[in-house]
């Protein structure tokens, strides 16, 4: 006799996912859709808030812990509404355990990474929005592999929920800031990214209850998408990866510049700052003898200055992180110091980014999940 499959108490609500698409997950649904899904499963609507409380507030992904739900239904609820989206492949730590890089396998085998960075008074999580990236910036490790696919809202949110769970279990901490500076170009996956921002900023128990101000969306400068984000009126921080003040150089190191020029990208960022009252961050990775000349610091200051006073912007210099096989290398210390001095002399607020995680290839631009190799 063959054993029959365990009987399901709950009817199926979602159709099987389309080829290549991740399964639908609770975090993909709006608050009303979650209630409708529970009702469609023949359950009272209030179960939706019970489930949300477990996932978004307690970060509990184990149905055995959902003791306020009928025991017979817990497994079915989990299987239907909470399909596992991220499978941990590897976790690596450095900086005395304060930096942790996580490698995930998605349902279709695609690999993505996120990085948890603990600071004395906050924890920042750097997350991915796409498997791979299609922007092809030649100094970036992710850019070398091309784009595999967009991540879904729930895949994006799951990275943060997982970070929250790790910290909660460890010492009751929370992820305070999220930066879309992992793999992918967030504004090329606009809908899922904005959906994820909404879920992160929705108060618990329906969302992760984070502050929009703690979320940074970093972009190569997809101008129409920046403009669209300006209209959303969500006060997330915008970071523009400029890396060069002139079109000639930027065409080469940020290839999307051949489509939207420095002037257009900076204008869109300025408009964003004006409308949201959020200071825009200009990312500038310091590359030896490429973009780090003193005259380029002066050019950068004037490109930003002509948009008005300095309240709207600050420059974040990133010492370039080594990418194996790359012809781009990190600027000399003295050139970086001169670059900062020039910007500051012109009154441009400037900071130098720390290089957290570089020894485990977890720093900016080093994420290139190609397998399980150490
Ligand atoms: N696609 C988004 C997010 C990319 S990662 C964007 O372009 O903004 C976040 C930042 O790291 C970007 O500014 C990116 O240009 C930068 N970066 C990429 N490779 C790097 C490297 N090797 N060293 C330092 N920064 C790098």
């Amino acid at each position: 006799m063959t054993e029959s499959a365990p009987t399901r108490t709950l009817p199926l609500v979602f159709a099987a996912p389309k080829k290549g698409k991740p399964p639908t997950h609770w975090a993909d649904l709006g608050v009303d859709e979650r209630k409708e899904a529970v009702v469609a499963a023949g359950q009272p609507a209030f179960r939706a808030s019970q489930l949300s409380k477990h996932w978004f507030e307690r970060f509990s992904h184990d149905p055995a812990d959902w003791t306020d739900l009928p025991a017979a239904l817990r497994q079915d609820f989990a299987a239907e509404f909470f399909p596992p989206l991220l499978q941990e492949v590897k976790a690596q730590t450095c900086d005395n355990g304060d930096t942790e890089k996580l490698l995930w396998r998605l349902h279709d085998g695609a690999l993505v990474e996120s990085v948890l960075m603990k600071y004395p008074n906050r924890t920042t999580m750097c997350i991915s929005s796409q498997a791979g990236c299609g922007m092809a910036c030649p100094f970036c490790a992710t850019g070398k592999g091309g784009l595999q696919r967009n991540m879904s809202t729930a895949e994006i949110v799951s990275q943060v929920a997982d970070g929250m769970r790790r910290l909660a279990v460890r010492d009751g901490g929370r992820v305070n800031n999220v930066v879309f500076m992992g793999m992918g170009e967030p504004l090329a996956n606009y809908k899922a990214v904005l959906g994820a921002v909404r879920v992160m900023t929705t108060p618990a128990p329906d969302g992760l209850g984070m502050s929009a101000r703690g979320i940074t969306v970093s972009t190569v400068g997809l101008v129409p998408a920046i403009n669209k984000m300006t209209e959303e009126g969500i006060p997330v921080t915008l970071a523009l990866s400029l890396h060069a003040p002139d079109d000639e150089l930027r065409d080469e190191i940020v290839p999307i510049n051949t489509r939207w020029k420095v002037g257009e990208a900076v204008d869109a960022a300025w408009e964003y700052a004006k409308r949201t009252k959020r200071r825009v961050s200009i990312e500038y990775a310091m590359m030896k003898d490429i973009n780090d000349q003193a005259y380029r610091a002066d050019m950068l200051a004037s490109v930003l200055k002509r948009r008005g006073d300095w309240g709207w912007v600050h420059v974040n210099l990133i010492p370039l992180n080594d990418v194996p096989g790359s012809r781009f290398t990190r600027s000399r210390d003295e050139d970086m110091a001169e670059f900062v001095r020039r910007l500051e002399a012109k009154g441009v607020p400037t900071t130098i980014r720390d290089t957290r995680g570089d020894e485990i290839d977890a720093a900016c631009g080093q994420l290139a999940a190609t397998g399980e190799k150490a």
Side-chain angles (χ1 to χ4, degrees), residues 250-323:
R250 196 168 189 264
D251 280 351
E252 207 185 300
I253 60 178
V254 184
I256 199 70
N257 197 71
T258 55
R259 180 70 184 79
W260 293 286
K261 298 291 170 194
V262 169
E264 293 172 275
V266 172
D267 277 342
W270 179 70
E271 192 63 34
Y272 185 84
K274 203 169 68 166
R275 294 276 288 277
T276 60
K277 312 266 188 297
R278 298 292 301 149
R279 196 145 90 149
V280 167
S281 178
I282 300 290
E283 310 287 289
Y284 200 102
M286 294 294 284
M287 308 175 205
K288 185 174 150 196
D289 299 331
I290 303 279
N291 65 352
D292 64 354
Q293 305 85 351
Y295 75 88
R296 279 209 162 85
D298 297 339
M299 274 172 93
L300 178 60
S302 44
V303 163
L304 301 177
K305 182 76 179 189
R306 71 185 150 91
R307 321 284 153 179
D309 67 32
W310 294 121
W312 76 279
V313 71
H314 83 276
V315 171
N316 198 349
L317 297 178
I318 317 173
L320 191 80
N321 292 303
D322 270 345
V323 170

Side-chain angles (χ1 to χ4, degrees), residues 139-140 181 184-185 218-220 241 243 283 320-321 323 364-365:
F139 57 90
C140 173
M181 294 189 186
E185 165 51 41
S218 179
T219 178
V220 285
S241 296
H243 304 315
E283 310 287 289
L320 191 80
N321 292 303
V323 170
C364 295

Side-chain angles (χ1 to χ4, degrees), residues 99-102 113-117 124-127 159 356-357 360-363 367:
T99 304
E100 184 169 13
K101 180 171 78 160
L102 303 160
E113 292 178 321
S114 21
V115 186
L116 263 174
M117 290 163 285
T124 297
M125 191 169 198
C126 177
I127 61 168
Q159 297 169 78
R356 269 296 181 96
I360 52 169
D361 287 347
L367 302 183

